[in-house]
Amino acid sequence: MNVLQIFNLRPMTGDDLDAVMAIEEASYTTPWKVQHFRDEMAARFSLPFVADEEGHVVGYVCLMSLFEEAQILNVAVSPDQRGRGIARMMLEEAFRQAREKGAEVMALEVRASNHAAISLYTQLGFKRVGVRNGYYDGCEDAILMEKPIKENP
Ligand SMILES: CC(C)(COP(=O)(O)OP(=O)(O)OC[C@H]1O[C@@H](n2cnc3c(N)ncnc32)[C@H](O)[C@@H]1OP(=O)(O)O)[C@@H](O)C(=O)NCCC(=O)NCCS
């Protein structure tokens, strides 16, 4: 199956927020508040988008692209839709959009215990570039990862 054929990757809108919040709350112990997503939709350098499958939001990415560096601020997939390649597809779209804005590097932070996400990022070519000790709730480290996204660097 080619996932690109059945998913519509499109900008996040206010109508998506109920579905986005349901995924967010099922995905994180300290989920973003809905206002955080509203702020992302309004922010000048932010490009939040969703993966829509036949009218249902199955995942989303909050991407910020500021000059040479872009950042993945949030990525999540509905628990019952995981393992279908949706996150990989969304991140490849994020690389494309960031490149279009002139970014050369994609950066992100991930909890040290989040093996699924670290495996996803590693598979996509991200490398560990640093660590913020005790960044999450004062007790869990954040791993900083980056990937060059410039074409023909
Ligand atoms: C991490 C997350 C976004 C992955 O979404 P997904 O759509 O299931 O991921 P994909 O199907 O695109 O998987 C792509 C690759 O990621 C890795 N991966 C994904 N889930 C994994 C898991 N549970 N265990 C190990 N590796 C995993 C694998 O390398 C996989 O490639 P493969 O299928 O060839 O083995 C999803 O588990 C999620 O929403 N988690 C909660 C939110 C979160 O932790 N976000 C990241 C914050 S930094």
Side-chain angles (χ1 to χ4, degrees), residues 23-24 26-28 58 60 72-79 81-91 108-111 114-124 136:
I23 297 173
E24 177 75 11
S27 297
Y28 296 106
V58 292
Y60 52 85
I72 301 292
L73 304 178
N74 196 344
V75 51
V77 171
S78 179
Q81 301 294 327
R82 291 181 189 162
R84 298 176 67 198
I86 297 172
R88 184 175 21 222
M89 171 190 65
M90 293 193 301
L91 289 173
L108 56 82
E109 291 167 6
V110 56
R111 281 180 185 264
N114 194 343
H115 302 298
I118 291 171
S119 161
L120 166 72
Y121 301 141
T122 304
Q123 197 193 67
L124 286 169
Y136 296 106

